[in-house]
Every structure is written in structure tokens, then in C-alpha cells.
Amino acid sequence: MTIKTDTLGSTVRLLDAASEEVLETVPLSQGELTAVFDVTHAKPVIVEVNGYGITQRSEPQAIRANAELTVDLGLLAAGEFRELIKSATCLVKMPDGGFGSGFLYGDRQTIVTAAHCVAAKNIADLSYTFFPDEDREVTFNGARLFFYDRKQDVALLRLPEPVPDDHFWLWSTEPAKSGSEVLVMGNPGRNGEYDPMYARTCKIAEVRPDELRLDVEIYPGYSGGPVVLEGTSAVLGIVSYKIIRSSSYNEIGYSFARSGDIAADAYTQWNGLNSDLQERAITRVEDRYTREFGRDLAHNTAGAYYGDSAVYTVICMSLLEDYTRYMIGKAASFPAASPSQRRILMRKFHKEYLADVAPEIAERVRERVSPKLRAGQFEKEYELIQADESVSEEVKTSLEKARTAYLSLKEAAETIVKEDKGEDRSADEFQKYIIDLWGDARFYSEEVLEATASR
């Protein structure tokens, strides 16, 4: 007799219909949604499916050869779907104050997250909090790292003990498809502080090898969170990174997720080992992670400086376009002005733009753009890198120069830099200033990225 259900991690029982004696129990694991019972008697039975505090029963069933029966818990209905996914998702906190997201995968003891969220010299110093800032908040520590791939940006960790049974867990059951509606769960953050756990719905805009592009822009705190096919428990991806593409400060961004199949392959391979081999695998992965910690941190930090510097450069250059349109429009209002009058008027318009228009644009940058970028979260990481003896002085020096250029570009976009040696910059001078800063940020970031690339 074959029983089908709709919820991973549930338990299927076969009961005698008359006495309700439990005849057989099958716990579903990993991607299983089907239980098969070998029934050797003809007595009517009841099928019971239990999971996450919910129990569903069938009506008494007469036994038939090769019978199939579906008993759904109904937990994936719209009203409860988000709460179920939320119970599987956690806040990953780093010892330096950084944070990201993660989720239970394959069982209630395995955490999947983005590799760049595993930023601690000692892996055991990371913490995993479910339902953060709620009355039911619970935190777990001491997870061991058994898979870490910086290039793929995926990590899997093993908690010392399973979390309680009321926490859902996810699994990769099908490939991602362009256009699919998905839910992204995680801990959005801005200005270095995390917000309550939140879910966003969006669509998969594009499927690439081992990568998905989402059609929304997602805050950095979502990194490591699950991308779940709407109305199911199927993980299609792990939130990884973001690109802001824009011609103005009202930016439109894309977020990218790594394929859930990467986590499935790593989990399946590790889970197939015996306990001795699992322990040896953990020791090997953690030893390599510790040796390469400083280099990996420098690589991630340089990537953040590079990406955010590019965003601020685009903003500043689009500001110049806006400034040019403004000045042309003003000049057109006085077609009969003499050359000397026009020069006086243009200086006046220049000062008006800096006094009235530019500050409003700068405020929008501070409020809408900067909170969504990554590099602001890397100040403590930068200090760790500078103090790490395993990182070469050449890498430290290049990273310092990349950071200096990034901070100057950030200041230019957030305040609209106006003065150089006490004098207002012209548009041409401002453009040259921004281009020079972007050249430095790109050059020194790329030096670090190349020096710290995975071999």
C-alpha cells in the first residue's frame, strides 16, 4: 500500500481501523513524500500523517493490492506556508556583529547558508537563532562545518543536536525554472542592524548553471536564506549576492542565488559516510577553512568594495547628467543674455543646483541605496584582516587603498562633494575626481581579488 503526502519530514502511520492499534510507522526523510507499507492482512486500516503538531487521518480503508492513497497535512496552503518556511529559517550571527540567514536542510540538524556568512575564525563562535526577537526565540551554538565552497558561496554546518520537532526543514526536490514564483525568507538589515525576519515574493528571471537570477533587489541580510518554490517545501536556491544596475540613484537591482542542487549534492555525499568518515571530513574542512580564513575574508571584503564603488560611481556620473540637463534648461530660459550676463547666470545656477537640488539627491542616496549595499558591514572584517599575520602585507596595503577610494566615492554620492581646497568644483573637475577614485577602487580591489583567488 502506497501513501502519498505533501509535507517533508512528516511521519506516516498505519492503524488498525477497529482498535486503532499502530501496525507500522514510516518516518519520511530528506526528499521523501511517499511511504510504502507491506500489508499482509485484509482488515480495514486508517492512515495517519503527523507533522509539526498537525495530524490528518483517512477514513477506514479496505486493503487492496497495489492501492494508493493521498493524505495531505495541508500545511503548505497560503495561510500557513510562510510560517512553516519561517520555522526552518534562522538568523546567522557572526562574532564581530555581522549577520546573515540560513535554514534547516534535509533534517533538523543541518544548516545551509552562504559561505560569506560563515565569517568567524572559530566556527563554533557562530550562532543560529530561530524566530529572532520573538517570544519563541531560540538560539543554537557549536555547529561544525562539513562543506565550504567560497567560489560557489555555499556552506553546510551540523548542529550538535537536532532542533525541536516543531521546526520545519527544507529539501531540493526539483530544478529551478525561469518564471517560477518563489518566496525568499531571511533577515533583512540596514546600517549594520538586522530587522525582524521577513519574506519576499518574486520570480526567477533567469536560470544559469548553478545560479538563479531573481527579479527583485534584496537587502544583504537575506544572504544565505532559502529561495523556495511558492506553495511547496522545495528549495531552489540560496541567496548569494546582488548587483545594482542603474542610470540614476533610483536604482533597480538584481539578486542572485546559488542553486539548491549544490547543497543537495554536498548533503547527500556527506550523509552517505559513516560516523568516523563524517568526523574526518569535518576536521579536514574546518582545518582548511581556518588556514584560509584571512585570505577568504580579504577576498570577500575586496569584492564588497569593488561592487559598492561601482554603484556609487554610477550614481555620481548620473548626477552629472542631471546637472547638465538642469544647466541647459536654465540657460535656455535666458536666450537674449549677453556672454558676460550668461557667465554670471551660469555661476548662479551652479550654486542653486548645489544648494537646492544636490542635497535632495544625496539624501535619497543615503536612504535608498547605502542601506542596501554590502561594504558598510565589512569594517570589523577590515580590522581583522589588518591584524591577521597570515595575510600578506601586499594584500593589506592594496585593501587599504581600495577602502580609501570606496569611502571617498561613498562620501561623494551621499553628500555631493562640492569643495576642493576651499573652491567649488566644476562639473568637469567633479567628473575627473570620480573617475580617478573609481580607477583606484577597481585597480586595488582587483589586486586583492587576484591575490586571494581560490587555487
Side-chain angles (χ1 to χ4, degrees):
M1 186 174 190
T2 300
I3 310 301
K4 297 180 179 179
T5 187
D6 63 343
T7 308
L8 297 173
S10 52
T11 299
V12 183
R13 294 186 178 92
L14 206 61
L15 288 74
D16 182 279
S19 66
E20 296 199 358
E21 174 189 357
V22 177
L23 303 175
E24 190 173 353
T25 300
V26 176
L28 300 179
S29 61
Q30 295 181 19
E32 296 177 342
L33 291 173
T34 301
V36 178
F37 296 90
D38 185 14
V39 182
T40 58
H41 59 79
K43 296 185 294 184
V45 296
I46 295 172
V47 176
E48 178 182 275
V49 179
N50 181 278
Y52 313 101
I54 303 295
T55 299
Q56 295 285 6
R57 282 188 172 190
S58 72
E59 295 296 324
Q61 304 288 317
I63 299 298
R64 304 189 314 275
N66 300 318
E68 288 190 2
L69 180 66
T70 297
V71 180
D72 291 340
L73 287 178
L75 293 177
L76 298 175
E80 298 177 350
F81 170 64
R82 292 192 177 201
E83 190 65 20
L84 199 66
I85 305 304
K86 184 177 181 180
S87 75
T89 308
C90 62
L91 169 69
V92 180
K93 295 184 73 173
M94 307 164 206
D96 63 5
F99 61 91
S101 302
F103 56 96
L104 293 170
Y105 188 80
D107 53 47
R108 295 185 183 86
Q109 202 171 347
T110 300
I111 300 283
V112 170
T113 186
H116 73 262
C117 293
V118 183
K121 188 90 173 181
N122 182 0
I123 292 294
D125 290 338
L126 295 166
S127 65
Y128 312 87
T129 300
F130 293 86
F131 304 116
D133 296 336
E134 297 185 24
D135 291 340
R136 50 186 173 166
E137 175 182 310
V138 57
T139 298
F140 300 88
N141 302 94
R144 305 286 303 281
L145 184 67
F146 70 86
F147 178 82
Y148 180 84
D149 190 324
R150 187 185 71 187
K151 188 174 182 180
Q152 295 278 24
D153 197 24
V154 175
L156 280 75
L157 304 100
R158 190 75 170 168
L159 294 169
E161 300 291 339
V163 304
D165 290 347
D166 57 350
H167 288 268
F168 194 52
W169 52 265
L170 306 172
W171 185 250
S172 303
T173 59
E174 54 190 283
K177 299 177 181 177
S178 294
S180 295
E181 294 189 0
V182 294
L183 177 140
V184 180
M185 183 73 74
N187 300 274
R190 59 184 75 204
N191 300 323
E193 298 292 333
Y194 68 86
D195 294 330
M197 191 171 290
Y198 190 75
R200 294 196 64 178
T201 55
C202 59
K203 290 185 177 181
I204 295 177
E206 183 182 2
V207 178
R208 305 173 179 178
D210 290 337
E211 185 175 77
L212 321 175
R213 179 168 67 83
L214 308 178
D215 67 353
V216 296
E217 182 187 355
I218 292 176
Y219 281 85
Y222 279 102
S223 291
V227 178
V228 183
L229 185 63
E230 186 72 39
T232 76
S233 54
V235 173
L236 301 182
I238 304 124
V239 178
S240 178
Y241 67 101
K242 173 183 64 178
I243 294 176
I244 292 180
R245 299 186 184 278
S246 172
S247 60
S248 73
Y249 47 82
N250 294 311
E251 78 296 330
I252 298 173
Y254 296 123
S255 294
F256 292 83
R258 307 305 296 171
S259 171
D261 290 343
I262 300 170
D265 291 345
Y267 178 94
T268 302
Q269 181 177 358
W270 186 83
N271 205 45
L273 303 175
N274 62 41
S275 58
D276 288 340
L277 289 177
Q278 286 180 345
E279 182 61 32
R280 286 163 59 183
I282 287 175
T283 300
R284 184 172 62 254
V285 171
E286 290 189 342
D287 284 350
R288 186 177 71 246
Y289 171 86
T290 300
R291 287 195 310 271
E292 299 178 353
F293 174 76
R295 189 186 74 181
D296 288 354
L297 203 59
H299 190 92
N300 290 336
T301 305
Y305 289 157
Y306 184 103
D308 288 9
S309 294
V311 172
Y312 287 128
T313 299
V314 169
I315 290 170
C316 290
M317 299 307 286
S318 63
L319 170 71
L320 285 169
E321 294 177 5
D322 185 74
Y323 170 83
T324 301
R325 287 192 296 268
Y326 178 90
M327 297 296 283
I328 291 173
K330 287 290 188 179
S333 303
F334 297 91
S338 67
S340 60
Q341 288 175 324
R342 185 174 294 274
R343 284 193 295 272
I344 293 172
L345 286 170
M346 294 304 280
R347 283 197 294 270
K348 177 176 176 288
F349 300 149
H350 173 80
K351 291 182 180 295
E352 285 179 356
Y353 184 88
L354 293 181
D356 300 332
V357 181
E360 184 179 331
I361 294 175
E363 183 179 2
R364 286 199 286 264
V365 171
R366 291 194 299 272
E367 292 182 355
R368 300 182 186 181
V369 179
S370 294
K372 301 178 182 179
L373 301 182
R374 288 181 58 205
Q377 301 182 34
F378 279 81
E379 283 305 293
K380 291 183 178 178
E381 281 83 348
Y382 173 79
E383 294 174 4
L384 287 173
I385 294 163
Q386 296 300 325
D388 194 321
E389 295 181 357
S390 69
V391 180
S392 71
E393 290 301 319
E394 290 80 3
V395 166
K396 292 178 181 179
T397 299
S398 293
L399 192 66
E400 180 181 10
K401 292 179 178 179
R403 176 177 177 270
T404 298
Y406 150 73
L407 290 174
S408 296
L409 283 166
K410 182 174 186 287
E411 180 187 22
E414 289 186 344
T415 63
I416 312 303
V417 176
K418 295 180 295 185
E419 295 188 354
D420 181 20
K421 298 180 181 178
E423 299 178 359
D424 284 348
R425 283 192 177 95
S426 68
D428 289 342
E429 290 169 341
F430 184 73
Q431 182 179 41
K432 183 178 185 305
Y433 175 71
I434 296 303
I435 290 174
D436 287 346
L437 286 176
W438 166 236
D440 286 347
R442 182 176 62 180
F443 177 79
Y444 292 114
S445 294
E446 287 179 342
E447 276 200 336
V448 176
L449 291 171
E450 183 177 352
T452 59
S454 298
R455 303 303 184 203

Short mmCIF file of all heavy atoms in Angstrom, two decimals, residues 299-329:
data_model
loop_
_atom_site.label_atom_id
_atom_site.label_comp_id
_atom_site.label_asym_id
_atom_site.label_seq_id
_atom_site.Cartn_x
_atom_site.Cartn_y
_atom_site.Cartn_z
N HIS A 299 39.28 38.49 0.43
CA HIS A 299 38.64 38.33 -0.88
C HIS A 299 37.21 38.87 -0.85
O HIS A 299 36.81 39.65 -1.73
CB HIS A 299 38.63 36.85 -1.26
CG HIS A 299 38.22 36.58 -2.67
ND1 HIS A 299 39.10 36.50 -3.71
CD2 HIS A 299 36.99 36.39 -3.21
CE1 HIS A 299 38.46 36.26 -4.84
NE2 HIS A 299 37.16 36.20 -4.56
N ASN A 300 36.45 38.49 0.16
CA ASN A 300 35.06 38.95 0.27
C ASN A 300 34.99 40.46 0.48
O ASN A 300 34.11 41.13 -0.08
CB ASN A 300 34.35 38.23 1.43
CG ASN A 300 34.11 36.77 1.14
OD1 ASN A 300 34.04 36.36 -0.02
ND2 ASN A 300 33.98 35.97 2.18
N THR A 301 35.90 40.99 1.29
CA THR A 301 35.89 42.43 1.57
C THR A 301 36.23 43.22 0.32
O THR A 301 35.58 44.24 0.01
CB THR A 301 36.88 42.76 2.70
OG1 THR A 301 36.55 41.96 3.85
CG2 THR A 301 36.81 44.22 3.08
N ALA A 302 37.24 42.77 -0.43
CA ALA A 302 37.60 43.45 -1.68
C ALA A 302 36.45 43.41 -2.68
O ALA A 302 36.19 44.39 -3.39
CB ALA A 302 38.85 42.81 -2.28
N GLY A 303 35.74 42.29 -2.73
CA GLY A 303 34.58 42.18 -3.61
C GLY A 303 33.50 43.18 -3.25
O GLY A 303 32.85 43.77 -4.12
N ALA A 304 33.30 43.38 -1.93
CA ALA A 304 32.29 44.36 -1.48
C ALA A 304 32.71 45.78 -1.84
O ALA A 304 31.90 46.58 -2.31
CB ALA A 304 32.09 44.23 0.02
N TYR A 305 34.00 46.10 -1.65
CA TYR A 305 34.49 47.43 -2.02
C TYR A 305 34.33 47.67 -3.52
O TYR A 305 33.93 48.75 -3.95
CB TYR A 305 35.97 47.59 -1.63
CG TYR A 305 36.22 47.68 -0.14
CD1 TYR A 305 37.46 47.35 0.40
CD2 TYR A 305 35.22 48.09 0.74
CE1 TYR A 305 37.70 47.42 1.76
CE2 TYR A 305 35.45 48.17 2.11
CZ TYR A 305 36.70 47.84 2.61
OH TYR A 305 36.93 47.92 3.96
N TYR A 306 34.66 46.67 -4.31
CA TYR A 306 34.57 46.80 -5.77
C TYR A 306 33.11 47.05 -6.19
O TYR A 306 32.82 47.99 -6.93
CB TYR A 306 35.09 45.51 -6.43
CG TYR A 306 35.14 45.55 -7.94
CD1 TYR A 306 36.33 45.75 -8.61
CD2 TYR A 306 33.98 45.38 -8.70
CE1 TYR A 306 36.39 45.78 -10.00
CE2 TYR A 306 34.03 45.41 -10.09
CZ TYR A 306 35.22 45.61 -10.73
OH TYR A 306 35.27 45.65 -12.09
N GLY A 307 32.21 46.20 -5.71
CA GLY A 307 30.81 46.31 -6.11
C GLY A 307 30.17 47.61 -5.68
O GLY A 307 29.49 48.29 -6.47
N ASP A 308 30.39 48.00 -4.42
CA ASP A 308 29.76 49.23 -3.92
C ASP A 308 30.38 50.48 -4.56
O ASP A 308 29.69 51.46 -4.81
CB ASP A 308 29.88 49.31 -2.40
CG ASP A 308 28.97 48.30 -1.71
OD1 ASP A 308 28.40 47.44 -2.41
OD2 ASP A 308 28.84 48.36 -0.48
N SER A 309 31.68 50.43 -4.83
CA SER A 309 32.32 51.56 -5.52
C SER A 309 31.72 51.74 -6.91
O SER A 309 31.52 52.88 -7.37
CB SER A 309 33.83 51.32 -5.63
OG SER A 309 34.45 51.33 -4.35
N ALA A 310 31.43 50.65 -7.58
CA ALA A 310 30.81 50.74 -8.91
C ALA A 310 29.44 51.40 -8.83
O ALA A 310 29.08 52.24 -9.67
CB ALA A 310 30.70 49.35 -9.53
N VAL A 311 28.67 51.03 -7.80
CA VAL A 311 27.34 51.62 -7.63
C VAL A 311 27.44 53.13 -7.40
O VAL A 311 26.74 53.93 -8.03
CB VAL A 311 26.60 50.95 -6.46
CG1 VAL A 311 25.29 51.69 -6.16
CG2 VAL A 311 26.30 49.50 -6.79
N TYR A 312 28.33 53.53 -6.48
CA TYR A 312 28.46 54.96 -6.19
C TYR A 312 29.00 55.73 -7.39
O TYR A 312 28.65 56.90 -7.60
CB TYR A 312 29.37 55.16 -4.97
CG TYR A 312 28.71 54.77 -3.67
CD1 TYR A 312 29.34 53.90 -2.78
CD2 TYR A 312 27.47 55.29 -3.33
CE1 TYR A 312 28.74 53.55 -1.58
CE2 TYR A 312 26.86 54.93 -2.13
CZ TYR A 312 27.50 54.06 -1.26
OH TYR A 312 26.89 53.71 -0.07
N THR A 313 29.85 55.10 -8.19
CA THR A 313 30.35 55.75 -9.41
C THR A 313 29.21 56.01 -10.39
O THR A 313 29.10 57.10 -10.97
CB THR A 313 31.44 54.89 -10.07
OG1 THR A 313 32.54 54.74 -9.16
CG2 THR A 313 31.94 55.55 -11.35
N VAL A 314 28.36 55.02 -10.59
CA VAL A 314 27.20 55.18 -11.48
C VAL A 314 26.32 56.32 -10.99
O VAL A 314 25.83 57.15 -11.77
CB VAL A 314 26.41 53.86 -11.57
CG1 VAL A 314 25.07 54.10 -12.27
CG2 VAL A 314 27.20 52.81 -12.32
N ILE A 315 26.11 56.38 -9.68
CA ILE A 315 25.27 57.44 -9.11
C ILE A 315 25.87 58.82 -9.38
O ILE A 315 25.18 59.75 -9.80
CB ILE A 315 25.08 57.23 -7.60
CG1 ILE A 315 24.19 56.01 -7.35
CG2 ILE A 315 24.49 58.46 -6.93
CD1 ILE A 315 24.14 55.57 -5.90
N CYS A 316 27.17 58.95 -9.15
CA CYS A 316 27.83 60.25 -9.36
C CYS A 316 27.82 60.67 -10.83
O CYS A 316 27.61 61.84 -11.15
CB CYS A 316 29.26 60.19 -8.83
SG CYS A 316 29.38 60.11 -7.02
N MET A 317 28.02 59.70 -11.72
CA MET A 317 28.02 60.04 -13.14
C MET A 317 26.61 60.42 -13.60
O MET A 317 26.44 61.32 -14.44
CB MET A 317 28.57 58.87 -13.97
CG MET A 317 30.01 58.50 -13.64
SD MET A 317 31.18 59.88 -13.71
CE MET A 317 31.32 60.09 -15.47
N SER A 318 25.60 59.74 -13.08
CA SER A 318 24.24 60.10 -13.44
C SER A 318 23.86 61.45 -12.85
O SER A 318 23.05 62.20 -13.42
CB SER A 318 23.25 59.03 -12.99
OG SER A 318 23.26 58.89 -11.59
N LEU A 319 24.46 61.79 -11.69
CA LEU A 319 24.27 63.12 -11.13
C LEU A 319 24.78 64.19 -12.08
O LEU A 319 24.15 65.24 -12.28
CB LEU A 319 25.00 63.23 -9.79
CG LEU A 319 25.10 64.63 -9.19
CD1 LEU A 319 23.75 65.09 -8.69
CD2 LEU A 319 26.12 64.66 -8.06
N LEU A 320 25.91 63.93 -12.69
CA LEU A 320 26.47 64.88 -13.67
C LEU A 320 25.53 65.06 -14.86
O LEU A 320 25.37 66.17 -15.38
CB LEU A 320 27.84 64.40 -14.14
CG LEU A 320 28.99 64.59 -13.15
CD1 LEU A 320 30.23 63.85 -13.63
CD2 LEU A 320 29.30 66.07 -12.95
N GLU A 321 24.91 63.96 -15.31
CA GLU A 321 23.95 64.06 -16.40
C GLU A 321 22.76 64.93 -15.98
O GLU A 321 22.28 65.77 -16.75
CB GLU A 321 23.46 62.67 -16.80
CG GLU A 321 24.53 61.79 -17.42
CD GLU A 321 24.01 60.40 -17.74
OE1 GLU A 321 22.79 60.18 -17.55
OE2 GLU A 321 24.81 59.55 -18.15
N ASP A 322 22.29 64.71 -14.75
CA ASP A 322 21.19 65.51 -14.24
C ASP A 322 21.58 66.99 -14.15
O ASP A 322 20.80 67.88 -14.50
CB ASP A 322 20.77 64.98 -12.86
CG ASP A 322 19.54 65.69 -12.31
OD1 ASP A 322 18.44 65.41 -12.81
OD2 ASP A 322 19.70 66.51 -11.37
N TYR A 323 22.80 67.23 -13.67
CA TYR A 323 23.31 68.60 -13.56
C TYR A 323 23.38 69.27 -14.92
O TYR A 323 22.98 70.43 -15.09
CB TYR A 323 24.71 68.56 -12.92
CG TYR A 323 25.46 69.88 -12.95
CD1 TYR A 323 25.23 70.85 -11.98
CD2 TYR A 323 26.39 70.14 -13.95
CE1 TYR A 323 25.92 72.05 -12.02
CE2 TYR A 323 27.09 71.33 -14.00
CZ TYR A 323 26.86 72.29 -13.02
OH TYR A 323 27.53 73.48 -13.06
N THR A 324 23.85 68.54 -15.93
CA THR A 324 23.96 69.09 -17.28
C THR A 324 22.59 69.46 -17.83
O THR A 324 22.40 70.54 -18.42
CB THR A 324 24.66 68.09 -18.22
OG1 THR A 324 25.96 67.79 -17.70
CG2 THR A 324 24.78 68.65 -19.63
N ARG A 325 21.61 68.59 -17.65
CA ARG A 325 20.25 68.89 -18.12
C ARG A 325 19.69 70.12 -17.41
O ARG A 325 19.03 70.97 -18.01
CB ARG A 325 19.33 67.68 -17.88
CG ARG A 325 19.58 66.51 -18.82
CD ARG A 325 18.47 65.48 -18.73
NE ARG A 325 18.41 64.87 -17.41
CZ ARG A 325 19.06 63.76 -17.08
NH1 ARG A 325 19.83 63.16 -17.98
NH2 ARG A 325 18.96 63.26 -15.87
N TYR A 326 19.96 70.20 -16.10
CA TYR A 326 19.50 71.33 -15.31
C TYR A 326 20.08 72.64 -15.84
O TYR A 326 19.36 73.62 -16.06
CB TYR A 326 19.90 71.12 -13.85
CG TYR A 326 19.53 72.24 -12.89
CD1 TYR A 326 18.31 72.22 -12.22
CD2 TYR A 326 20.40 73.30 -12.66
CE1 TYR A 326 17.97 73.23 -11.34
CE2 TYR A 326 20.07 74.32 -11.79
CZ TYR A 326 18.85 74.28 -11.12
OH TYR A 326 18.52 75.29 -10.25
N MET A 327 21.39 72.65 -16.09
CA MET A 327 22.05 73.87 -16.54
C MET A 327 21.60 74.27 -17.95
O MET A 327 21.40 75.45 -18.25
CB MET A 327 23.56 73.69 -16.51
CG MET A 327 24.13 73.44 -15.11
SD MET A 327 23.89 74.83 -13.98
CE MET A 327 25.17 75.95 -14.57
N ILE A 328 21.42 73.29 -18.83
CA ILE A 328 20.94 73.58 -20.19
C ILE A 328 19.54 74.17 -20.15
O ILE A 328 19.21 75.13 -20.85
CB ILE A 328 20.98 72.31 -21.06
CG1 ILE A 328 22.44 71.90 -21.33
CG2 ILE A 328 20.24 72.53 -22.38
CD1 ILE A 328 22.57 70.57 -22.04
N GLY A 329 18.70 73.58 -19.30
CA GLY A 329 17.34 74.09 -19.17
C GLY A 329 17.30 75.52 -18.66
O GLY A 329 16.52 76.35 -19.15
#
